[in-house]
Amino acid sequence: MHTDDLESSANFIQNIIEKDLNTLKFDGRVHTRFPPEPNGYLHIGHAKSICLNFGLASKYSGKCNLRFDDTNPSKEEEEYVQSIMEDVRWLGFDWEDRVYYSSEYFSQLYEYAVRLIKKGKAYVDSLSAEQIREYRGTLTELGRNSPHRDRPVEENVDLFARMRAGEFAEGERVLRAKIDMGSRNLNLRDPVLYRVLKATHHRTGNNWCIYPMYDFTHGQSDSLERITHSICTLEFEDHRPLYDWFLKELDIYRPQQIEFARLNLNYTILSKRKLLQLVEEKHVNGWNDPRMPTLSGMRRRGYPPNAIRDFCERIGVAKSNSTVDFALLEHCVREDLNKTSSRVMAVIRPLKVVIENYPEDQVEELTAENNPQDSASGSRKIPFSKVLYIERDDFMEDPPKKFFRLGPDREVRLKYAYIIKCERVIKDEKTGEVVELRCTYDPDTKSGSSMGGRKVKGTLHWLSAAHACRAEMRLYNHLFLKENPADEKECPDLGASVNRDSLEVVRTGFIEPFLKDASKGDRFQFLRLGYFCVDNENSSYDFPVFNRTVTLRDTWAKVSKKST
RNA sequence: UGGGGCGUCGUCAAGUGGCUAAGACACAGGAUUUUGAUUCCUGCAUUCGGAGGUUCGAGUCCUCCCGCCCCAGCCA
């Protein structure tokens, strides 16, 4: 009934679309496209664009195409095409039968170029790259015409055909639009349309040795696909006059380009170039390293696609450059996981506890709730016995007043079990390290009973030592400590800025026995520790590996930090 | 110094001349709690980059100023 209350307010692109719908500008159609270049893996910034384009199409009963913008064979690979499709699907979007490649349009684009040449609106230039740069002028100085600008049409037609036939080496000839070398907009100073590239294309092989530039490809591809709203990022604002110029000169269907601000996230980088650098210099273990802001990394880390979509919805769409707080992403992840994950017990850094007054060979099956947020999730049995493991952090020999976990002579409840009291602390004689706690339990305080009318402040998670299984836990923190690692002044050396504690591998962990049977990717809440998922690459039955997706909110950590 | 954009709470972000400037995250208090989790309350911009002006009325219109981002690839 009040679903409107839950929807976020309309963004400026929706306003434009609604206006266009009212004026029937595109016959009341909405048709968008997500146009990645297959030269890297998708990251959370792309997710914003994916959610925007597919979301708009769905909201207005339109369509959204997936289109690979593959006009630069020297950087693009099939591997990236596959990963991109997997990621878009994982995020929950469906392009149905509409997956396209700019390279499918190479013949059409070639024909468009010839058309422009014949119209006297394009010419083949023989200047070198450096010369073209010099002739282009600068931000404040206008450009100069190339000496080849006024070649006769017939000669241009012939030269372009010979470029296509492979008669020229890379850099020897380019096709340029004849627009205005005196334009204040650099993009209009006779932009290059085609360059010679003797590279093998991942889809067209060696059919072509000339390749169209982005500007000459994107708008026409949009046009061919009858796109209505071509949504791109802010840096293409200056290209819009060029986008429109081609469509007008070619006299073909004209979509509308709209620009929005790309996503920035603090404590991370969202530049494909820099992410590639992290991978190539081995600062991370590949594109799907759970510390990476790539969708494959987040998937492996355990982020639910729902949470990412929710995040993209919440951050909004606008034109001002902005940096979103990473905490919002984590909030979305926790919110989803809180509703959906089973609670289980696991111990990362075990400390042995012996219940001195508990019968030697007794094992009790205690009842544990699977998810208090979901009454349908039921319960399970967990074994309790004389020797247990608790978390090392849950014991302090000399605790501060506000610490309400275990300490000498203190009492805590063991979740689902009993109240225990720490009677003695056993230390390693040489190192002084605490190695074991001798405790007693109060049989009257069994979980679910009347508890003997007693209450204690702290509740700990635990595992029966005889039943627990070993597991590896991978604990992740921000990949960068600096809030803005994208800033080259702040972080001139990207590799040196990587947080050395961004990954902590703990091989001493223990889990409830049934967790060995969990499938790769399964998500759980490890009680009081955080959300974890089974690693989708390295986990095995004999030695399960869990990735920490995100910690639980930890008020105590804040309090204790403040007091030190 | 040319062109194109953008400036509303710590961070995002609504607001399209007229009720006391939405909401979210963060933060701070408090309640409940066998997860220091969750949940629930409460607080958090007398002011919209600045200065003038128009108007009965301006975050919204005008002028000037200031700050930030993008553009000089045969990358996208």
Side-chain angles (χ1 to χ4, degrees), chain A residues 512-530:
Chain A
E512 286 184 48
F514 85 95
L515 250 16
K516 290 183 80 139
D517 296 312
S519 306
K520 292 186 174 185
D522 282 358
R523 305 182 180 97
F524 301 92
Q525 183 193 104
F526 286 1
L527 223 60
R528 302 210 304 133
L529 294 173

Side-chain angles (χ1 to χ4, degrees), chain A residues 435-493:
Chain A
V435 293
E436 184 181 320
L437 265 25
R438 308 295 290 197
C439 300
T440 51
Y441 85 114
D442 180 346
D444 292 336
T445 58
K446 183 168 178 176
S447 187
S449 73
S450 61
M451 301 190 293
R454 291 213 285 139
K455 278 207 168 192
V456 286
K457 198 84 166 114
T459 301
L460 308 187
H461 59 278
W462 53 272
L463 246 18
S464 166
H467 302 85
C469 298
R470 293 195 160 276
E472 175 174 319
M473 321 281 188
R474 297 179 181 170
L475 312 178
Y476 301 102
N477 294 300
H478 286 313
L479 226 204
F480 297 96
L481 263 3
K482 289 264 194 349
E483 210 178 313
N484 184 13
D487 186 342
E488 320 230 328
K489 279 163 248 159
E490 238 177 88
C491 296
D493 180 354

Side-chain angles (χ1 to χ4, degrees), chain A residues 246-303:
Chain A
F246 289 126
L247 301 176
K248 182 162 179 284
E249 291 299 330
L250 258 12
D251 193 26
I252 54 179
Y253 169 81
R254 294 173 69 171
Q256 177 184 0
Q257 177 178 305
I258 302 169
E259 310 85 9
F260 73 100
R262 60 159 13 110
L263 171 68
N264 294 294
L265 252 192
N266 55 11
Y267 302 106
T268 104
I269 50 169
L270 255 27
S271 133
K272 268 200 219 175
R273 201 197 91 237
K274 287 181 180 171
L275 292 175
L276 177 64
Q277 185 188 342
L278 291 179
V279 172
E280 286 183 336
E281 293 177 5
K282 308 229 186 275
H283 296 112
V284 295
N285 305 312
W287 285 99
N288 69 342
D289 186 303
R291 293 168 292 178
M292 291 280 272
T294 52
L295 295 181
S296 54
M298 290 180 167
R299 174 166 62 241
R300 190 171 174 192
R301 172 97 169 236
Y303 283 23

Side-chain angles (χ1 to χ4, degrees), chain A residues 277-413:
Chain A
Q277 185 188 342
L278 291 179
V279 172
E280 286 183 336
E281 293 177 5
K282 308 229 186 275
H283 296 112
V284 295
N285 305 312
W287 285 99
N288 69 342
D289 186 303
R291 293 168 292 178
M292 291 280 272
T294 52
L295 295 181
S296 54
M298 290 180 167
R299 174 166 62 241
R300 190 171 174 192
R301 172 97 169 236
Y303 283 23
N306 263 328
I308 294 176
R309 275 188 263 116
D310 181 37
F311 172 74
C312 291
E313 184 64 37
R314 291 190 193 218
I315 57 178
V317 179
K319 294 195 70 162
S320 55
N321 288 312
S322 56
T323 302
V324 175
D325 195 338
F326 200 91
L328 178 60
L329 214 206
E330 294 190 322
H331 169 80
C332 294
V333 171
R334 289 193 186 103
E335 189 173 72
D336 185 274
L337 260 17
N338 176 50
K339 285 183 294 200
T340 58
S341 1
S342 293
R343 271 63 173 169
V344 300
M345 297 218 269
V347 173
I348 297 178
R349 296 179 184 81
L351 176 59
K352 189 176 172 187
V353 168
V354 176
I355 311 293
E356 295 188 308
N357 58 339
Y358 196 84
E360 194 74 38
D361 296 316
Q362 183 170 316
V363 176
E364 280 182 90
E365 295 285 315
L366 303 176
T367 304
E369 272 183 301
N370 286 328
N371 185 351
Q373 306 290 318
D374 176 9
S375 52
S377 65
S379 62
R380 68 183 183 289
K381 296 288 182 189
I382 47 176
F384 181 88
S385 63
K386 187 180 180 75
V387 183
L388 310 170
Y389 291 130
I390 64 165
E391 204 68 57
R392 276 204 110 74
D393 287 353
D394 285 337
F395 172 81
M396 277 185 93
E397 208 181 354
D398 188 17
K401 287 130 289 175
K402 283 185 184 168
F403 184 87
F404 37 86
R405 276 116 94 147
L406 209 49
D409 297 319
R410 289 196 179 205
E411 284 190 325
V412 293
R413 168 170 289 284

